Amino acid sequence: MLNQRAELNDTAAMLMVAAARDHALSIGVPQNIAVVDAGGRLLAFCRMQGAKFHSIETSTAKAVTAASISAPTGGASADFGMLLGMATQGQFTNLKGGLPVMIDGQLAGAIGVGSGAPEEDIAVAQAAIDALMKAL
């Protein structure tokens, strides 16, 4: 499910999307789910029926940002977060719901989830990472 560099591939990404989708269904919150590799390139995406269409871009930006900084999104100050979004024309975000995927201390990719409350987005993203780690 990973290439030689411990980077997510399409198989891992699809497993993560399926696990995220299952968790979103279990909590009754339709989501947009984006999985990227360590370079921030999109590997898989799912827009669940009923997910907010404007969260398509933010879920992808959450994944790209988490991959770029190797950390969860949403940790910057509000002022810096606003400047970050403006300076990158929305490509990076400070919204919660982006989590890096770390394997053996190395960035393997990231997931971004959007359309629910911040805590719901994080829980759905974490469910995907948990499923991947269990599969490894």
Side-chain angles (χ1 to χ4, degrees):
M1 281 196 278
L2 305 171
N3 68 23
Q4 292 178 340
R5 213 184 125 238
E7 186 167 296
L8 297 180
N9 63 20
D10 59 317
T11 303
M14 295 304 288
L15 180 147
M16 292 177 68
V17 166
R21 185 178 177 281
D22 287 348
H23 188 74
L25 286 170
S26 76
I27 63 172
V29 180
Q31 295 280 18
N32 291 292
I33 305 156
V35 178
V36 300
D37 64 16
R41 294 171 296 272
L42 188 64
L43 290 171
F45 181 84
C46 174
R47 178 175 180 261
M48 296 174 64
Q49 184 175 359
K52 298 171 185 167
F53 68 87
H54 66 273
S55 294
I56 293 170
E57 287 79 18
T58 58
S59 63
T60 304
K62 290 174 185 184
V64 170
T65 302
S68 177
I69 63 174
S70 298
T73 58
S77 70
D79 289 343
F80 180 75
M82 185 173 59
L83 291 173
L84 176 68
M86 289 171 39
T88 63
Q89 297 178 355
Q91 291 180 1
F92 285 17
T93 184
N94 193 39
L95 297 172
K96 292 183 179 184
L99 298 177
V101 177
M102 306 299 286
I103 298 174
D104 296 328
Q106 183 179 357
L107 179 71
I111 183 168
V113 177
S115 194
E119 301 77 25
E120 294 166 332
D121 294 352
I122 293 167
V124 170
Q126 189 61 56
I129 293 172
D130 292 348
L132 175 66
M133 295 306 161
K134 185 176 180 180
L136 297 178

mmCIF file of all heavy atoms in Angstrom, residues 61-120:
data_model
loop_
_atom_site.group_PDB
_atom_site.id
_atom_site.type_symbol
_atom_site.label_atom_id
_atom_site.label_comp_id
_atom_site.label_asym_id
_atom_site.label_seq_id
_atom_site.Cartn_x
_atom_site.Cartn_y
_atom_site.Cartn_z
ATOM 1 N N ALA A 61 -7.546 21.626 0.288
ATOM 2 C CA ALA A 61 -6.558 22.553 0.860
ATOM 3 C C ALA A 61 -6.090 22.065 2.228
ATOM 4 O O ALA A 61 -4.910 22.209 2.577
ATOM 5 C CB ALA A 61 -7.144 23.959 0.956
ATOM 6 N N LYS A 62 -6.977 21.470 3.011
ATOM 7 C CA LYS A 62 -6.585 20.927 4.315
ATOM 8 C C LYS A 62 -5.555 19.811 4.146
ATOM 9 O O LYS A 62 -4.557 19.756 4.871
ATOM 10 C CB LYS A 62 -7.804 20.399 5.066
ATOM 11 C CG LYS A 62 -8.761 21.462 5.550
ATOM 12 C CD LYS A 62 -10.005 20.827 6.161
ATOM 13 C CE LYS A 62 -11.040 21.852 6.562
ATOM 14 N NZ LYS A 62 -12.200 21.231 7.237
ATOM 15 N N ALA A 63 -5.795 18.923 3.185
ATOM 16 C CA ALA A 63 -4.851 17.828 2.943
ATOM 17 C C ALA A 63 -3.500 18.364 2.469
ATOM 18 O O ALA A 63 -2.449 17.952 2.959
ATOM 19 C CB ALA A 63 -5.429 16.848 1.919
ATOM 20 N N VAL A 64 -3.512 19.283 1.523
ATOM 21 C CA VAL A 64 -2.270 19.857 0.994
ATOM 22 C C VAL A 64 -1.505 20.584 2.096
ATOM 23 O O VAL A 64 -0.281 20.446 2.224
ATOM 24 C CB VAL A 64 -2.566 20.789 -0.202
ATOM 25 C CG1 VAL A 64 -1.338 21.580 -0.611
ATOM 26 C CG2 VAL A 64 -3.105 19.988 -1.377
ATOM 27 N N THR A 65 -2.216 21.348 2.907
ATOM 28 C CA THR A 65 -1.568 22.082 3.993
ATOM 29 C C THR A 65 -0.951 21.120 5.006
ATOM 30 O O THR A 65 0.200 21.302 5.419
ATOM 31 C CB THR A 65 -2.567 23.027 4.686
ATOM 32 O OG1 THR A 65 -3.110 23.923 3.717
ATOM 33 C CG2 THR A 65 -1.901 23.814 5.799
ATOM 34 N N ALA A 66 -1.688 20.096 5.406
ATOM 35 C CA ALA A 66 -1.167 19.128 6.381
ATOM 36 C C ALA A 66 0.075 18.430 5.837
ATOM 37 O O ALA A 66 1.036 18.193 6.583
ATOM 38 C CB ALA A 66 -2.241 18.116 6.754
ATOM 39 N N ALA A 67 0.082 18.120 4.539
ATOM 40 C CA ALA A 67 1.266 17.510 3.935
ATOM 41 C C ALA A 67 2.429 18.499 3.918
ATOM 42 O O ALA A 67 3.574 18.144 4.200
ATOM 43 C CB ALA A 67 0.958 17.022 2.520
ATOM 44 N N SER A 68 2.135 19.736 3.608
ATOM 45 C CA SER A 68 3.177 20.751 3.497
ATOM 46 C C SER A 68 3.869 21.044 4.824
ATOM 47 O O SER A 68 5.087 21.232 4.871
ATOM 48 C CB SER A 68 2.587 22.043 2.932
ATOM 49 O OG SER A 68 3.549 23.063 2.882
ATOM 50 N N ILE A 69 3.089 21.063 5.902
ATOM 51 C CA ILE A 69 3.659 21.426 7.203
ATOM 52 C C ILE A 69 3.910 20.204 8.096
ATOM 53 O O ILE A 69 4.396 20.355 9.210
ATOM 54 C CB ILE A 69 2.773 22.451 7.949
ATOM 55 C CG1 ILE A 69 1.388 21.876 8.273
ATOM 56 C CG2 ILE A 69 2.651 23.753 7.136
ATOM 57 C CD1 ILE A 69 0.509 22.777 9.146
ATOM 58 N N SER A 70 3.561 19.018 7.612
ATOM 59 C CA SER A 70 3.713 17.769 8.383
ATOM 60 C C SER A 70 3.084 17.879 9.763
ATOM 61 O O SER A 70 3.628 17.388 10.767
ATOM 62 C CB SER A 70 5.197 17.393 8.529
ATOM 63 O OG SER A 70 5.772 17.162 7.273
ATOM 64 N N ALA A 71 1.921 18.514 9.802
ATOM 65 C CA ALA A 71 1.224 18.732 11.077
ATOM 66 C C ALA A 71 -0.260 18.926 10.797
ATOM 67 O O ALA A 71 -0.649 19.252 9.676
ATOM 68 C CB ALA A 71 1.793 19.961 11.789
ATOM 69 N N PRO A 72 -1.090 18.761 11.830
ATOM 70 C CA PRO A 72 -2.522 19.023 11.651
ATOM 71 C C PRO A 72 -2.783 20.486 11.300
ATOM 72 O O PRO A 72 -2.034 21.379 11.732
ATOM 73 C CB PRO A 72 -3.123 18.689 13.022
ATOM 74 C CG PRO A 72 -2.134 17.787 13.665
ATOM 75 C CD PRO A 72 -0.786 18.245 13.165
ATOM 76 N N THR A 73 -3.819 20.719 10.552
ATOM 77 C CA THR A 73 -4.222 22.085 10.232
ATOM 78 C C THR A 73 -5.005 22.672 11.396
ATOM 79 O O THR A 73 -5.519 21.955 12.239
ATOM 80 C CB THR A 73 -5.076 22.134 8.950
ATOM 81 O OG1 THR A 73 -6.235 21.304 9.145
ATOM 82 C CG2 THR A 73 -4.296 21.652 7.742
ATOM 83 N N GLY A 74 -5.081 23.990 11.423
ATOM 84 C CA GLY A 74 -5.891 24.671 12.417
ATOM 85 C C GLY A 74 -5.135 25.139 13.633
ATOM 86 O O GLY A 74 -5.747 25.659 14.561
ATOM 87 N N GLY A 75 -3.822 24.985 13.648
ATOM 88 C CA GLY A 75 -3.054 25.342 14.831
ATOM 89 C C GLY A 75 -2.470 26.740 14.832
ATOM 90 O O GLY A 75 -1.933 27.184 15.840
ATOM 91 N N ALA A 76 -2.587 27.447 13.724
ATOM 92 C CA ALA A 76 -2.013 28.798 13.651
ATOM 93 C C ALA A 76 -2.983 29.811 14.251
ATOM 94 O O ALA A 76 -4.180 29.543 14.385
ATOM 95 C CB ALA A 76 -1.714 29.161 12.202
ATOM 96 N N SER A 77 -2.467 30.972 14.584
ATOM 97 C CA SER A 77 -3.339 32.032 15.094
ATOM 98 C C SER A 77 -4.319 32.445 14.001
ATOM 99 O O SER A 77 -4.057 32.246 12.811
ATOM 100 C CB SER A 77 -2.503 33.244 15.527
ATOM 101 O OG SER A 77 -1.949 33.883 14.382
ATOM 102 N N ALA A 78 -5.428 33.037 14.402
ATOM 103 C CA ALA A 78 -6.454 33.450 13.438
ATOM 104 C C ALA A 78 -5.893 34.450 12.435
ATOM 105 O O ALA A 78 -6.164 34.347 11.227
ATOM 106 C CB ALA A 78 -7.658 34.033 14.164
ATOM 107 N N ASP A 79 -5.107 35.406 12.905
ATOM 108 C CA ASP A 79 -4.527 36.402 12.000
ATOM 109 C C ASP A 79 -3.603 35.757 10.986
ATOM 110 O O ASP A 79 -3.679 36.045 9.788
ATOM 111 C CB ASP A 79 -3.759 37.473 12.787
ATOM 112 C CG ASP A 79 -4.676 38.399 13.565
ATOM 113 O OD1 ASP A 79 -5.889 38.440 13.253
ATOM 114 O OD2 ASP A 79 -4.179 39.081 14.476
ATOM 115 N N PHE A 80 -2.708 34.881 11.453
ATOM 116 C CA PHE A 80 -1.785 34.218 10.536
ATOM 117 C C PHE A 80 -2.548 33.312 9.576
ATOM 118 O O PHE A 80 -2.225 33.236 8.393
ATOM 119 C CB PHE A 80 -0.732 33.410 11.298
ATOM 120 C CG PHE A 80 0.226 32.713 10.374
ATOM 121 C CD1 PHE A 80 1.219 33.422 9.720
ATOM 122 C CD2 PHE A 80 0.117 31.350 10.136
ATOM 123 C CE1 PHE A 80 2.092 32.790 8.851
ATOM 124 C CE2 PHE A 80 0.985 30.705 9.276
ATOM 125 C CZ PHE A 80 1.981 31.424 8.628
ATOM 126 N N GLY A 81 -3.554 32.613 10.071
ATOM 127 C CA GLY A 81 -4.352 31.737 9.222
ATOM 128 C C GLY A 81 -5.021 32.494 8.094
ATOM 129 O O GLY A 81 -5.063 32.025 6.956
ATOM 130 N N MET A 82 -5.548 33.670 8.401
ATOM 131 C CA MET A 82 -6.176 34.483 7.369
ATOM 132 C C MET A 82 -5.138 34.929 6.341
ATOM 133 O O MET A 82 -5.366 34.855 5.131
ATOM 134 C CB MET A 82 -6.868 35.701 7.983
ATOM 135 C CG MET A 82 -7.642 36.524 6.968
ATOM 136 S SD MET A 82 -8.630 37.832 7.707
ATOM 137 C CE MET A 82 -7.386 38.792 8.543
ATOM 138 N N LEU A 83 -3.981 35.380 6.809
ATOM 139 C CA LEU A 83 -2.913 35.803 5.898
ATOM 140 C C LEU A 83 -2.409 34.635 5.050
ATOM 141 O O LEU A 83 -2.132 34.800 3.858
ATOM 142 C CB LEU A 83 -1.760 36.422 6.680
ATOM 143 C CG LEU A 83 -2.053 37.766 7.337
ATOM 144 C CD1 LEU A 83 -0.874 38.188 8.219
ATOM 145 C CD2 LEU A 83 -2.353 38.827 6.297
ATOM 146 N N LEU A 84 -2.301 33.461 5.652
ATOM 147 C CA LEU A 84 -1.865 32.272 4.936
ATOM 148 C C LEU A 84 -2.804 31.967 3.772
ATOM 149 O O LEU A 84 -2.363 31.726 2.646
ATOM 150 C CB LEU A 84 -1.803 31.076 5.891
ATOM 151 C CG LEU A 84 -1.447 29.720 5.295
ATOM 152 C CD1 LEU A 84 -0.008 29.716 4.814
ATOM 153 C CD2 LEU A 84 -1.663 28.630 6.330
ATOM 154 N N GLY A 85 -4.102 31.987 4.038
ATOM 155 C CA GLY A 85 -5.083 31.732 2.990
ATOM 156 C C GLY A 85 -5.025 32.763 1.877
ATOM 157 O O GLY A 85 -5.083 32.427 0.693
ATOM 158 N N MET A 86 -4.873 34.014 2.250
ATOM 159 C CA MET A 86 -4.812 35.082 1.240
ATOM 160 C C MET A 86 -3.529 34.989 0.422
ATOM 161 O O MET A 86 -3.550 35.110 -0.804
ATOM 162 C CB MET A 86 -4.930 36.448 1.922
ATOM 163 C CG MET A 86 -6.323 36.717 2.450
ATOM 164 S SD MET A 86 -6.497 38.203 3.485
ATOM 165 C CE MET A 86 -5.464 39.402 2.726
ATOM 166 N N ALA A 87 -2.416 34.761 1.089
ATOM 167 C CA ALA A 87 -1.123 34.732 0.402
ATOM 168 C C ALA A 87 -1.009 33.554 -0.567
ATOM 169 O O ALA A 87 -0.299 33.636 -1.567
ATOM 170 C CB ALA A 87 0.014 34.686 1.415
ATOM 171 N N THR A 88 -1.702 32.471 -0.274
ATOM 172 C CA THR A 88 -1.617 31.283 -1.132
ATOM 173 C C THR A 88 -2.848 31.127 -2.023
ATOM 174 O O THR A 88 -3.020 30.083 -2.641
ATOM 175 C CB THR A 88 -1.451 30.012 -0.279
ATOM 176 O OG1 THR A 88 -2.605 29.846 0.552
ATOM 177 C CG2 THR A 88 -0.191 30.066 0.565
ATOM 178 N N GLN A 89 -3.674 32.148 -2.057
ATOM 179 C CA GLN A 89 -4.909 32.140 -2.850
ATOM 180 C C GLN A 89 -5.753 30.903 -2.545
ATOM 181 O O GLN A 89 -6.300 30.254 -3.435
ATOM 182 C CB GLN A 89 -4.590 32.240 -4.335
ATOM 183 C CG GLN A 89 -3.899 33.535 -4.678
ATOM 184 C CD GLN A 89 -3.524 33.646 -6.135
ATOM 185 O OE1 GLN A 89 -3.689 32.718 -6.921
ATOM 186 N NE2 GLN A 89 -3.018 34.803 -6.512
ATOM 187 N N GLY A 90 -5.837 30.576 -1.255
ATOM 188 C CA GLY A 90 -6.684 29.483 -0.806
ATOM 189 C C GLY A 90 -6.068 28.106 -0.915
ATOM 190 O O GLY A 90 -6.718 27.121 -0.562
ATOM 191 N N GLN A 91 -4.832 27.994 -1.381
ATOM 192 C CA GLN A 91 -4.221 26.673 -1.500
ATOM 193 C C GLN A 91 -3.842 26.097 -0.139
ATOM 194 O O GLN A 91 -3.816 24.880 0.031
ATOM 195 C CB GLN A 91 -2.995 26.730 -2.405
ATOM 196 C CG GLN A 91 -3.348 26.995 -3.849
ATOM 197 C CD GLN A 91 -2.116 27.036 -4.731
ATOM 198 O OE1 GLN A 91 -0.998 26.850 -4.274
ATOM 199 N NE2 GLN A 91 -2.324 27.282 -6.003
ATOM 200 N N PHE A 92 -3.511 26.956 0.812
ATOM 201 C CA PHE A 92 -3.228 26.524 2.176
ATOM 202 C C PHE A 92 -4.321 27.083 3.066
ATOM 203 O O PHE A 92 -4.881 28.135 2.788
ATOM 204 C CB PHE A 92 -1.874 27.035 2.656
ATOM 205 C CG PHE A 92 -0.684 26.317 2.078
ATOM 206 C CD1 PHE A 92 -0.775 25.519 0.952
ATOM 207 C CD2 PHE A 92 0.547 26.458 2.667
ATOM 208 C CE1 PHE A 92 0.321 24.880 0.422
ATOM 209 C CE2 PHE A 92 1.670 25.815 2.145
ATOM 210 C CZ PHE A 92 1.549 25.026 1.024
ATOM 211 N N THR A 93 -4.610 26.365 4.154
ATOM 212 C CA THR A 93 -5.678 26.802 5.036
ATOM 213 C C THR A 93 -5.327 26.518 6.491
ATOM 214 O O THR A 93 -4.517 25.635 6.778
ATOM 215 C CB THR A 93 -7.007 26.108 4.684
ATOM 216 O OG1 THR A 93 -8.044 26.634 5.504
ATOM 217 C CG2 THR A 93 -6.934 24.600 4.871
ATOM 218 N N ASN A 94 -5.952 27.257 7.360
ATOM 219 C CA ASN A 94 -5.812 27.047 8.796
ATOM 220 C C ASN A 94 -7.068 26.395 9.379
ATOM 221 O O ASN A 94 -7.194 26.274 10.584
ATOM 222 C CB ASN A 94 -5.521 28.385 9.499
ATOM 223 C CG ASN A 94 -5.065 28.203 10.935
ATOM 224 O OD1 ASN A 94 -4.315 27.304 11.250
ATOM 225 N ND2 ASN A 94 -5.552 29.070 11.808
ATOM 226 N N LEU A 95 -7.978 25.963 8.542
ATOM 227 C CA LEU A 95 -9.183 25.288 9.020
ATOM 228 C C LEU A 95 -8.824 23.908 9.563
ATOM 229 O O LEU A 95 -7.991 23.200 8.987
ATOM 230 C CB LEU A 95 -10.194 25.134 7.883
ATOM 231 C CG LEU A 95 -10.749 26.421 7.278
ATOM 232 C CD1 LEU A 95 -11.570 26.100 6.037
ATOM 233 C CD2 LEU A 95 -11.576 27.165 8.305
ATOM 234 N N LYS A 96 -9.468 23.495 10.639
ATOM 235 C CA LYS A 96 -9.235 22.169 11.206
ATOM 236 C C LYS A 96 -9.830 21.100 10.301
ATOM 237 O O LYS A 96 -10.835 21.323 9.638
ATOM 238 C CB LYS A 96 -9.839 22.079 12.603
ATOM 239 C CG LYS A 96 -9.126 22.952 13.600
ATOM 240 C CD LYS A 96 -9.692 22.802 14.988
ATOM 241 C CE LYS A 96 -8.901 23.685 15.946
ATOM 242 N NZ LYS A 96 -9.338 23.505 17.326
ATOM 243 N N GLY A 97 -9.182 19.928 10.299
ATOM 244 C CA GLY A 97 -9.676 18.810 9.500
ATOM 245 C C GLY A 97 -8.635 18.233 8.565
ATOM 246 O O GLY A 97 -8.908 17.287 7.842
ATOM 247 N N GLY A 98 -7.424 18.776 8.587
ATOM 248 C CA GLY A 98 -6.328 18.221 7.810
ATOM 249 C C GLY A 98 -5.337 17.542 8.735
ATOM 250 O O GLY A 98 -4.910 18.131 9.731
ATOM 251 N N LEU A 99 -4.998 16.285 8.451
ATOM 252 C CA LEU A 99 -4.054 15.533 9.283
ATOM 253 C C LEU A 99 -2.964 14.911 8.414
ATOM 254 O O LEU A 99 -3.268 14.332 7.368
ATOM 255 C CB LEU A 99 -4.765 14.412 10.042
ATOM 256 C CG LEU A 99 -5.848 14.810 11.040
ATOM 257 C CD1 LEU A 99 -6.482 13.565 11.644
ATOM 258 C CD2 LEU A 99 -5.270 15.701 12.126
ATOM 259 N N PRO A 100 -1.714 14.999 8.863
ATOM 260 C CA PRO A 100 -0.647 14.313 8.131
ATOM 261 C C PRO A 100 -0.695 12.818 8.430
ATOM 262 O O PRO A 100 -1.180 12.405 9.485
ATOM 263 C CB PRO A 100 0.624 14.935 8.707
ATOM 264 C CG PRO A 100 0.246 15.286 10.108
ATOM 265 C CD PRO A 100 -1.214 15.700 10.043
ATOM 266 N N VAL A 101 -0.202 12.033 7.504
ATOM 267 C CA VAL A 101 -0.046 10.599 7.719
ATOM 268 C C VAL A 101 1.443 10.355 7.903
ATOM 269 O O VAL A 101 2.219 10.525 6.967
ATOM 270 C CB VAL A 101 -0.594 9.784 6.522
ATOM 271 C CG1 VAL A 101 -0.360 8.298 6.751
ATOM 272 C CG2 VAL A 101 -2.072 10.081 6.305
ATOM 273 N N MET A 102 1.822 9.993 9.124
ATOM 274 C CA MET A 102 3.220 9.760 9.461
ATOM 275 C C MET A 102 3.444 8.256 9.640
ATOM 276 O O MET A 102 2.690 7.602 10.365
ATOM 277 C CB MET A 102 3.593 10.497 10.741
ATOM 278 C CG MET A 102 3.293 11.993 10.730
ATOM 279 S SD MET A 102 4.171 12.937 9.468
ATOM 280 C CE MET A 102 5.814 12.950 10.161
ATOM 281 N N ILE A 103 4.454 7.736 8.978
ATOM 282 C CA ILE A 103 4.803 6.323 9.099
ATOM 283 C C ILE A 103 6.281 6.248 9.448
ATOM 284 O O ILE A 103 7.125 6.766 8.712
ATOM 285 C CB ILE A 103 4.483 5.555 7.802
ATOM 286 C CG1 ILE A 103 2.976 5.623 7.538
ATOM 287 C CG2 ILE A 103 4.967 4.109 7.907
ATOM 288 C CD1 ILE A 103 2.530 5.037 6.237
ATOM 289 N N ASP A 104 6.573 5.639 10.576
ATOM 290 C CA ASP A 104 7.942 5.554 11.076
ATOM 291 C C ASP A 104 8.598 6.924 11.143
ATOM 292 O O ASP A 104 9.759 7.098 10.782
ATOM 293 C CB ASP A 104 8.778 4.600 10.221
ATOM 294 C CG ASP A 104 8.265 3.160 10.283
ATOM 295 O OD1 ASP A 104 7.734 2.776 11.350
ATOM 296 O OD2 ASP A 104 8.394 2.438 9.286
ATOM 297 N N GLY A 105 7.832 7.916 11.570
ATOM 298 C CA GLY A 105 8.345 9.265 11.728
ATOM 299 C C GLY A 105 8.536 10.037 10.444
ATOM 300 O O GLY A 105 9.055 11.148 10.451
ATOM 301 N N GLN A 106 8.094 9.478 9.327
ATOM 302 C CA GLN A 106 8.260 10.105 8.020
ATOM 303 C C GLN A 106 6.894 10.450 7.423
ATOM 304 O O GLN A 106 5.955 9.657 7.507
ATOM 305 C CB GLN A 106 9.000 9.146 7.085
ATOM 306 C CG GLN A 106 9.289 9.704 5.726
ATOM 307 C CD GLN A 106 10.059 8.702 4.861
ATOM 308 O OE1 GLN A 106 10.416 7.622 5.300
ATOM 309 N NE2 GLN A 106 10.282 9.065 3.621
ATOM 310 N N LEU A 107 6.794 11.619 6.805
ATOM 311 C CA LEU A 107 5.559 12.014 6.152
ATOM 312 C C LEU A 107 5.283 11.115 4.954
ATOM 313 O O LEU A 107 6.121 10.986 4.059
ATOM 314 C CB LEU A 107 5.648 13.477 5.689
ATOM 315 C CG LEU A 107 4.416 14.004 4.959
ATOM 316 C CD1 LEU A 107 3.244 14.173 5.924
ATOM 317 C CD2 LEU A 107 4.730 15.322 4.271
ATOM 318 N N ALA A 108 4.111 10.485 4.947
ATOM 319 C CA ALA A 108 3.719 9.613 3.847
ATOM 320 C C ALA A 108 2.621 10.238 2.999
ATOM 321 O O ALA A 108 2.373 9.806 1.868
ATOM 322 C CB ALA A 108 3.233 8.268 4.384
ATOM 323 N N GLY A 109 1.956 11.262 3.519
ATOM 324 C CA GLY A 109 0.859 11.914 2.821
ATOM 325 C C GLY A 109 -0.011 12.619 3.835
ATOM 326 O O GLY A 109 0.415 12.881 4.960
ATOM 327 N N ALA A 110 -1.242 12.916 3.429
ATOM 328 C CA ALA A 110 -2.152 13.611 4.338
ATOM 329 C C ALA A 110 -3.585 13.408 3.879
ATOM 330 O O ALA A 110 -3.849 13.037 2.733
ATOM 331 C CB ALA A 110 -1.818 15.097 4.401
ATOM 332 N N ILE A 111 -4.500 13.700 4.799
ATOM 333 C CA ILE A 111 -5.930 13.647 4.501
ATOM 334 C C ILE A 111 -6.570 14.956 4.953
ATOM 335 O O ILE A 111 -6.185 15.526 5.973
ATOM 336 C CB ILE A 111 -6.613 12.436 5.182
ATOM 337 C CG1 ILE A 111 -8.099 12.357 4.801
ATOM 338 C CG2 ILE A 111 -6.392 12.450 6.688
ATOM 339 C CD1 ILE A 111 -8.771 11.055 5.184
ATOM 340 N N GLY A 112 -7.528 15.416 4.173
ATOM 341 C CA GLY A 112 -8.311 16.584 4.529
ATOM 342 C C GLY A 112 -9.782 16.249 4.431
ATOM 343 O O GLY A 112 -10.221 15.612 3.466
ATOM 344 N N VAL A 113 -10.535 16.651 5.431
ATOM 345 C CA VAL A 113 -11.972 16.361 5.485
ATOM 346 C C VAL A 113 -12.710 17.654 5.768
ATOM 347 O O VAL A 113 -12.299 18.440 6.615
ATOM 348 C CB VAL A 113 -12.279 15.312 6.576
ATOM 349 C CG1 VAL A 113 -13.778 15.063 6.690
ATOM 350 C CG2 VAL A 113 -11.529 14.010 6.296
ATOM 351 N N GLY A 114 -13.803 17.877 5.059
ATOM 352 C CA GLY A 114 -14.575 19.085 5.281
ATOM 353 C C GLY A 114 -16.035 18.919 4.929
ATOM 354 O O GLY A 114 -16.376 18.235 3.974
ATOM 355 N N SER A 115 -16.865 19.532 5.732
ATOM 356 C CA SER A 115 -18.306 19.685 5.545
ATOM 357 C C SER A 115 -19.025 19.581 6.869
ATOM 358 O O SER A 115 -20.169 19.967 6.982
ATOM 359 C CB SER A 115 -18.911 18.697 4.538
ATOM 360 O OG SER A 115 -20.217 19.099 4.177
ATOM 361 N N GLY A 116 -18.347 19.097 7.874
ATOM 362 C CA GLY A 116 -18.944 19.010 9.199
ATOM 363 C C GLY A 116 -18.364 20.065 10.122
ATOM 364 O O GLY A 116 -17.647 20.965 9.688
ATOM 365 N N ALA A 117 -18.654 19.929 11.396
ATOM 366 C CA ALA A 117 -18.023 20.775 12.406
ATOM 367 C C ALA A 117 -16.554 20.369 12.498
ATOM 368 O O ALA A 117 -16.196 19.242 12.137
ATOM 369 C CB ALA A 117 -18.719 20.577 13.753
ATOM 370 N N PRO A 118 -15.684 21.267 12.969
ATOM 371 C CA PRO A 118 -14.253 20.933 13.027
ATOM 372 C C PRO A 118 -13.965 19.602 13.731
ATOM 373 O O PRO A 118 -13.154 18.806 13.230
ATOM 374 C CB PRO A 118 -13.644 22.109 13.791
ATOM 375 C CG PRO A 118 -14.547 23.259 13.486
ATOM 376 C CD PRO A 118 -15.925 22.657 13.406
ATOM 377 N N GLU A 119 -14.626 19.325 14.845
ATOM 378 C CA GLU A 119 -14.386 18.081 15.570
ATOM 379 C C GLU A 119 -14.817 16.871 14.747
ATOM 380 O O GLU A 119 -14.192 15.804 14.824
ATOM 381 C CB GLU A 119 -15.128 18.082 16.914
ATOM 382 C CG GLU A 119 -14.720 19.222 17.841
ATOM 383 C CD GLU A 119 -15.345 20.578 17.458
ATOM 384 O OE1 GLU A 119 -16.411 20.618 16.815
ATOM 385 O OE2 GLU A 119 -14.726 21.599 17.791
ATOM 386 N N GLU A 120 -15.894 17.003 13.986
ATOM 387 C CA GLU A 120 -16.352 15.908 13.123
ATOM 388 C C GLU A 120 -15.363 15.669 11.988
ATOM 389 O O GLU A 120 -15.046 14.513 11.663
ATOM 390 C CB GLU A 120 -17.739 16.228 12.567
ATOM 391 C CG GLU A 120 -18.812 16.274 13.635
ATOM 392 C CD GLU A 120 -20.110 16.903 13.167
ATOM 393 O OE1 GLU A 120 -20.097 17.762 12.247
ATOM 394 O OE2 GLU A 120 -21.163 16.548 13.748
#
